Amino acid sequence: MTRKKRIVGFDLETGSAKRLYTWNEPEPYIVLCGWIEDGVTHVTNDPAELLEVLMAADIIYGHNIYAFDIPALAVHAGANYEALMAKAYDTMVLAQEEHPPAPKTMPVVLYNLQAVAERVGVEGKTDESKRLAGKKVAELAEAAAEGLTGREAQAAKRAVKAKYKDVYDAAHLIDWWDPELIEYLEGDLVSNQNVFRKLWKHLNRGVSRDELENFRNLNRMVYLGCRIHRPTAELRVAEENAKVAEARMQLSDMCPGIPEDAESPLATNPGKAAFEAGLIAVGVKPEHIPRTPNTGKVSTAKDALSSGDWVVTVEKEQKRFDARTKESYIQIRKARERRQGLRQLYPDNPKVQEMCELATTISGKSRKFAEILGKTGPDDMVHSKIGNLQVSRRVAFIEPSITNVGKRGVGLQQRSLIVPRKPGEVIMCSDLSQGDMRIMAALSQDPEYMKLFVGDRDAHAEVAVALLGTKELQELAAQVGALEALMQMNMMYLRDQAKAIGHGVNYGMGVDSTIANTGLPREIVERYFRMRAQTYRVLNRWTDEARKEAESGWILDNGFGRSMRCDPLQAHTQGPALYGQSGTREIIMRGVRQMPLSVKQMLLMVVHDEVVLSVPRERYEEIAMIVQESLRVTWRDVFFDCDVSNPGENWGECYDKDKGKVWQKHYKAYQENLAMAA
DNA sequence: ACTGACTGCGCC
DNA sequence: AAACGGCGCAGTCAGT
């Protein structure tokens, strides 16, 4: 007879959650541990006691345990991280499956235990931890004022309150035997058990089980962290500050009145006024002053002051008439306009040129280096969090945000901050190739569109030939292939055009916006749209259906069994976009799931369609093959390809133009070697 | 003192 | 009738 499975829920009371990885107080981080089994709660201040129970259990669960409780036990109580994670079920992840997140334009869906308990209809416990921490701060303030009187007593109290401005900074000072703390913990355990019982039906759903695994994988990356090259970060911060200080001095001379004490002087009203006056003084006509569309303030955006074009999103009021109700109404619609940058308008005015350059230097100051440096621990490691789940089920690494560090131009320097975790390792990254496009092909099953992704074909080149090419080019392409034909006829610019248009069109961009964004001539864009409609009829039909479905407020199945909430008012654009984004996310997270644990432990982060790893240098080829084979998949007869970068001493080096993304070449050679050896 | 809106800029 | 989607962070400002 098999023994009854032990199912144990647990929760911790700790010091400030923000300091999980940077704890340096004399008091223990973990204040109180609690677990619940078959409705019976237990509490202890000895984490080892909890660990013994958890290790003996068959299933463990808790709320947000992937991101918090399990790493806390690993960091502060010597727990075996992988052993616990392998059998852990996070009710927060289950709750996300039960009630998907909403788009930003709709009421937010919260996933704290209280909110989840309410939604699934069980009793919740209000969040009392903040109150208890606040009570502790008050006690400490009283203690500090003990024996003092009058002003001195007040000052002592104020000092304590300032020290614990964030009351959670005093959470670790709460006595573990405080009856209120114990009661609170027990309440959470009971509530969590009830929530788990409501949600454990998800353990029978493949997609939910996959999602649990996805979040185990993502949070492993957070737990293991990224190494930051501190000297580079510090140097960049200093460089930025020096450069901006110099530009501020020069611009202040030309535009008197720019505030000296503001962190971003051109974001202040006086600064904007001074800048505008300065421009007028050197000959800029008032009607040429660039303005932000909503408030009409002077725009100091890089593009607005550039010598190129500037794309602004403006909201236009349109008078509409409802034939049914016979009422006219005003509708606001978004439109994109392409305007000329200020430097483009005054090419021969050196003063305007200089002022614009200086302003761009000042307002474009990158704070990314400082942001990352500020969150880097004394061990040079940074543990970003996994941000809130997005409607498309995409996730971001935040605090600091790693998802949006620069990739092009000078921004690429930002990636040089991220270096391998250990000596002897190098950085590897791997990207899905045109993930969103392939998702659209797979979902629509448009035979013509699917053909773009067969074999070694270059989708953008194919589209360029099919939609923008001449008959002559198309005939040649039929002989030698699209890419080769474009090169032979010296028409590679068509590929760039197709690529530029294609990105937006997948998300529902219209003709006018495409012209505004790309700067391409109207006739080319219109031709593209016309040809696309003719060539990919099935895709268009699918797109229309996706829009219609999104108007209901829900996309019931993204193709992988997951539903998405959407905003009916934005269905036309949001519907197809969400399918594409979520599908790409499913493919990449599936790829991660395919990796063996040892490779998963090398992962640093996932950036939507890219994975980044820190791998032993001497195993680069082997790991590259595993990563590539893990990510590659054929889904609904569409092949999802990926490439692998060259090794980099830092993340930025993986994108080195000279080295390029030439892994395939190495991979083929590697396979040939293997075949030869066999 | 805090909050939310707005701006600007970065990513996929 | 026409419409590119999804984000996070820092700084400023206005309102409470």
Side-chain angles (χ1 to χ4, degrees):
Chain A
M1 204 181 102
T2 54
R3 141 187 102 76
K4 180 176 170 292
K5 293 242 192 248
R6 290 189 63 183
I7 302 176
V8 176
F10 75 103
D11 189 17
L12 304 178
E13 298 305 324
T14 66
S16 169
K18 280 183 201 153
R19 295 162 68 188
L20 164 58
Y21 293 101
T22 53
W23 192 247
N24 58 357
E25 302 293 331
E27 297 85 6
Y29 183 67
I30 298 174
V31 176
L32 185 62
C33 310
W35 72 92
I36 182 165
E37 189 173 4
D38 296 327
V40 183
T41 59
H42 312 260
V43 294
T44 172
N45 70 329
D46 180 8
E49 213 177 314
L50 170 67
L51 281 181
E52 209 172 298
V53 176
L54 295 182
M55 290 306 282
D58 299 284
I59 286 176
I60 61 178
Y61 68 87
H63 203 69
N64 199 26
I65 53 174
Y66 291 167
F68 186 73
D69 300 68
I70 291 178
L73 287 169
V75 172
H76 298 282
N80 181 334
Y81 178 84
E82 297 293 355
L84 292 184
M85 285 297 265
K87 58 182 173 184
Y89 296 88
D90 193 327
T91 47
M92 190 185 260
V93 176
L94 298 178
Q96 290 167 355
E97 287 301 300
E98 181 78 5
H99 297 106
K104 289 225 136 161
T105 50
M106 296 171 71
V108 65
V109 180
L110 297 174
Y111 295 103
N112 61 61
L113 182 56
Q114 171 71 16
V116 171
E118 272 174 28
R119 276 200 300 271
V120 300
V122 301
E123 200 172 326
K125 196 79 162 107
T126 52
D127 183 8
E128 284 213 283
S129 58
K130 190 165 189 175
R131 184 182 69 76
L132 292 176
K135 197 181 78 174
K136 190 73 210 175
V137 174
E139 273 174 39
L140 292 170
E142 286 302 325
E146 178 117 6
L148 302 175
T149 50
R151 211 164 274 181
E152 283 181 345
Q154 291 301 320
K157 283 185 191 173
R158 261 204 306 277
V160 169
K161 283 182 181 162
K163 182 173 174 190
Y164 300 113
K165 211 179 80 182
D166 180 351
V167 293
Y168 288 113
D169 281 334
H172 63 289
L173 300 173
I174 303 174
D175 303 313
W176 71 267
W177 62 83
D178 183 331
E180 283 193 294
L181 185 70
I182 291 174
E183 195 195 340
Y184 163 63
L185 179 61
E186 288 178 324
D188 264 6
L189 289 167
V190 172
S191 175
N192 197 193
Q193 183 182 72
N194 291 334
V195 165
F196 186 55
R197 287 176 173 175
K198 286 282 183 185
L199 295 178
W200 66 19
K201 61 188 180 198
H202 283 278
L203 305 196
N204 291 323
R205 272 182 88 222
V207 277
S208 298
R209 280 204 310 274
D210 286 347
E211 190 69 347
L212 288 160
E213 168 73 10
N214 291 342
F215 272 82
R216 284 195 282 261
N217 290 334
L218 289 165
N219 281 297
R220 183 185 295 106
M221 302 174 210
V222 173
Y223 167 64
L224 295 172
C226 285
R227 181 169 298 281
I228 300 302
H229 196 249
R230 190 178 286 273
T232 305
E234 284 168 349
L235 182 69
R236 296 290 183 213
V237 171
E239 277 176 2
E240 281 290 351
N241 289 342
K243 201 174 76 182
V244 172
E246 173 67 22
R248 278 179 75 154
M249 273 175 55
Q250 292 185 25
L251 192 66
S252 290
D253 288 344
M254 304 173 83
C255 309
I258 291 181
E260 281 172 19
D261 48 348
E263 188 65 35
S264 298
L266 290 179
T268 64
N269 288 336
K272 282 175 188 293
F275 182 56
E276 183 175 349
L279 288 172
I280 300 281
V282 295
V284 173
K285 292 182 189 160
E287 65 266 31
H288 286 160
I289 298 285
R291 301 198 176 275
T292 60
N294 288 341
T295 56
K297 290 185 179 178
V298 184
S299 173
T300 54
K302 168 175 87 207
D303 290 349
L305 304 179
S306 73
S307 48
D309 286 350
W310 176 36
V311 177
V312 281
T313 303
V314 290
E315 291 192 337
K316 285 187 174 166
E317 288 190 353
Q318 229 175 30
K319 258 201 184 146
R320 310 231 53 90
F321 182 74
D322 189 326
R324 205 165 45 81
T325 60
K326 309 248 187 276
E327 278 173 24
S328 63
Y329 59 98
I330 302 277
Q331 190 177 34
I332 294 173
R333 69 178 195 87
K334 279 195 282 188
R336 301 214 170 183
E337 274 184 27
R338 196 176 184 85
R339 299 178 186 165
Q340 289 178 294
L342 191 55
R343 282 157 71 193
Q344 191 182 154
L345 293 170
Y346 295 86
D348 304 321
N349 187 329
K351 289 280 182 201
V352 174
Q353 296 291 318
E354 195 185 346
M355 285 166 65
C356 288
E357 272 176 54
L358 292 170
T360 302
T361 303
I362 295 165
S363 65
K365 178 183 173 189
S366 166
R367 287 169 188 80
K368 201 76 212 174
F369 302 113
E371 180 195 343
I372 293 177
L373 198 54
K375 304 271 183 188
T376 303
D379 55 355
D380 289 355
M381 298 300 282
V382 61
H383 301 266
S384 292
K385 302 194 299 183
I386 304 294
N388 288 340
L389 194 62
Q390 304 171 9
V391 212
S392 61
R393 313 303 174 88
R394 276 177 166 185
V395 292
F397 283 71
I398 65 168
E399 293 178 18
S401 173
I402 300 291
T403 306
N404 65 351
V405 300
K407 185 167 184 174
R408 277 170 281 273
V410 290
L412 184 57
Q413 287 178 351
Q414 295 169 1
R415 297 203 170 189
S416 67
L417 297 193
I418 289 166
V419 293
R421 272 198 198 115
K422 290 179 229 151
E425 295 190 346
V426 286
I427 303 289
M428 168 193 292
C429 33
S430 176
D431 290 42
L432 287 182
S433 312
Q434 310 108 9
D436 291 12
M437 286 173 79
R438 288 173 202 250
I439 287 290
M440 301 289 194
L443 288 169
S444 69
Q445 290 288 296
D446 183 318
E448 286 303 312
Y449 204 57
M450 289 166 81
K451 276 188 202 161
L452 297 175
F453 308 107
V454 175
D456 276 346
R457 297 170 75 164
D458 179 317
H460 294 303
E462 301 269 348
V463 172
V465 170
L467 304 192
L468 300 174
T470 58
K471 201 156 191 131
E472 199 188 349
L473 178 68
Q474 287 166 351
E475 277 163 12
L476 181 62
Q479 306 286 322
V480 300
L483 197 59
E484 183 61 30
L486 285 168
M487 285 195 281
Q488 281 185 23
M489 293 188 66
N490 205 12
M491 294 174 95
M492 279 295 277
Y493 65 92
L494 289 180
R495 183 182 182 278
D496 295 336
Q497 291 180 352
K499 190 176 168 186
I501 305 173
H503 275 130
V505 173
N506 272 348
Y507 296 147
M509 191 157 66
V511 173
D512 290 337
S513 292
T514 305
I515 294 168
N517 277 343
T518 62
L520 291 170
R522 175 170 290 273
E523 73 226 50
I524 288 183
V525 175
E526 282 183 346
R527 176 175 161 77
Y528 178 98
F529 274 76
R530 207 167 49 241
M531 293 301 290
R532 186 183 158 102
Q534 283 171 16
T535 313
Y536 307 121
R537 289 176 185 281
V538 182
L539 174 65
N540 285 324
R541 208 155 49 232
W542 175 84
T543 305
D544 287 342
E545 278 162 23
R547 287 170 174 157
K548 209 184 286 171
E549 183 189 9
E551 275 170 22
S552 73
W554 281 92
I555 289 170
L556 292 179
D557 184 348
N558 66 350
F560 298 80
R562 246 179 277 282
S563 58
M564 295 177 288
R565 254 183 251 265
C566 39
D567 182 347
L569 296 176
Q570 309 207 36
H572 182 88
T573 49
Q574 206 174 57
L578 288 183
Y579 267 109
Q581 291 172 356
S582 71
T584 302
R585 184 271 197 187
E586 301 284 355
I587 295 287
I588 195 121
M589 290 314 298
R590 175 209 156 272
V592 171
R593 292 201 305 274
Q594 300 305 306
M595 296 175 188
L597 178 61
S598 62
V599 175
K600 287 175 180 168
Q601 288 170 328
M602 298 175 192
L603 286 164
L604 295 175
M605 65 190 117
V606 179
V607 186
H608 302 319
D609 67 348
E610 172 186 13
V611 293
V612 188
L613 305 90
S614 178
V615 309
R617 185 189 303 272
E618 71 279 5
R619 292 179 64 197
Y620 199 84
E621 300 214 334
E622 174 206 347
I623 307 296
M625 188 183 70
I626 294 172
V627 168
Q628 194 165 51
E629 287 307 309
S630 302
L631 291 181
R632 280 179 166 165
V633 66
T634 297
W635 185 66
R636 299 196 177 176
D637 296 327
V638 174
F639 178 53
F640 286 77
D641 202 2
C642 71
D643 51 30
V644 179
S645 75
N646 277 315
E649 298 301 327
N650 59 58
W651 190 17
E653 273 190 13
C654 296
Y655 301 89
D656 194 314
K657 271 258 163 49
D658 296 329
K659 295 178 184 171
K661 279 188 189 164
V662 292
W663 180 260
Q664 265 95 342
K665 184 169 84 189
H666 295 266
Y667 174 55
K668 274 180 191 148
Y670 178 70
Q671 278 187 319
E672 278 160 22
N673 286 343
L674 280 186
M676 296 253 291

